[in-house]
Amino acid sequence: MSLSSVAIKRPVFTVMMTVALLVLGMVGFSRLGTDLFPDVAFPVVTVTVPYPGASPKEVETLVTKHIEDDVISLNGIDRVRSFSREGMSVTIVFFQLGIDIMDAATQVRERVSRVKYKLPAEAKEPIVGRFDVGAAPILTYTVSSPGSLSATRKFADDKLKPAIEQAAGVAAVEVRGGAKREIRILVDRAKINALMMPMEVLIQRLRAENVTVPAGHFIEGDREISVRT
């Protein structure tokens, strides 16, 4: 006996079975769990190289090009994108789906360590990281005050950030915006030209003078205080 024959000859049984399936479906749907932030691993690896004081063209020529040329030959790469900004080089390596992200990050890290000798001495240590969806910020707070931007930033760094970090379940807290204290140097171009001093020499001299080194320690009561110069 076919299904259509049963449905025609036994309409009450057919209706009851249909209603039962609908009820079971509604109960199952109401108990279906929903994960707003599922654990998804995208095969994407980023390489960030800080290069303080360099222009975007210098960053592209001296840093980004070397990174791109060395990682492009890895197996399983889908595409490579790079961004050269003032003082910063960012290279994003997209791998094909199915590639083990841990193995891909290890390969990229090995290639970057192999090319470090080609980078300028002023460039910072390359940072290799995996694209993690779970690391995206969950909550964003905006802080305002009648005071200056530097005072607001200092309050957020010294007071708000430690307090939020101590809350249960907080992985990391990052403060953005505001203003940090800095020293600006205005160069007299006429005097620099008269001394026949290239701008690179002046920058290197300033960088050499702006260094803190240990200078020993001294005892004050029951405390030992370190001295830096």
Side-chain angles (χ1 to χ4, degrees):
M1 185 178 295
S2 64
L3 183 62
S4 57
S5 300
V6 174
I8 294 173
K9 294 179 180 181
R10 300 182 179 180
V12 177
F13 172 76
T14 304
V15 172
M16 295 300 295
M17 290 297 297
T18 304
V19 172
L21 291 175
L22 289 175
V23 172
L24 291 176
M26 294 176 63
V27 172
F29 180 77
S30 63
R31 298 181 179 180
L32 184 64
T34 303
D35 192 353
L36 298 179
F37 295 95
D39 187 10
V40 180
F42 292 98
V44 179
V45 180
T46 60
V47 182
T48 305
V49 183
Y51 187 10
S55 65
K57 185 173 181 58
E58 291 175 332
V59 172
E60 180 180 5
T61 304
L62 302 177
V63 178
T64 306
K65 188 176 185 304
H66 294 305
I67 300 294
E68 283 183 341
D69 293 343
D70 213 58
V71 303
I72 196 65
S73 59
L74 287 173
N75 294 327
I77 284 185
D78 183 23
R79 63 187 186 276
V80 177
R81 297 186 63 184
S82 61
F83 303 91
S84 299
R85 301 184 177 92
E86 183 176 358
M88 182 71 65
S89 169
V90 179
T91 304
I92 306 176
V93 184
F94 297 86
F95 287 86
Q96 298 173 359
L97 293 178
I99 297 294
D100 185 4
I101 185 60
M102 298 297 293
D103 182 60
T106 301
Q107 294 184 38
V108 172
R109 190 174 290 106
E110 291 176 351
R111 291 296 182 91
V112 172
S113 62
R114 191 175 65 180
V115 79
K116 281 198 303 185
Y117 76 96
K118 298 180 181 178
L119 304 181
E122 294 80 9
K124 303 296 183 181
E125 185 72 16
I127 303 172
V128 180
R130 296 179 289 110
F131 180 75
D132 187 5
V133 178
I138 305 299
L139 294 176
T140 302
Y141 294 95
T142 302
V143 180
S144 62
S145 72
S148 62
L149 289 176
S150 58
T152 305
R153 174 62 184 254
K154 190 174 187 304
F155 174 77
D157 286 328
D158 298 342
K159 302 295 184 180
L160 292 182
K161 182 178 179 181
I164 298 176
E165 286 176 338
Q166 295 176 7
V170 175
V173 179
E174 182 179 359
V175 180
R176 295 184 178 180
K180 293 184 178 180
R181 181 177 179 271
E182 63 180 15
I183 299 175
R184 296 185 178 183
I185 300 176
L186 303 179
V187 179
D188 190 333
R189 176 65 66 176
K191 292 183 178 180
I192 290 293
N193 294 336
L195 294 173
M196 301 180 64
M197 178 185 296
M199 190 63 65
E200 291 78 8
V201 175
L202 179 60
I203 294 174
Q204 292 176 2
R205 183 63 182 270
L206 291 173
R207 186 179 290 115
E209 294 294 335
N210 188 27
V211 177
T212 59
V213 295
H217 62 276
F218 66 93
I219 305 298
E220 182 178 344
D222 57 349
R223 297 185 303 170
E224 180 178 331
I225 302 177
S226 299
V227 179
R228 304 185 66 86
T229 182

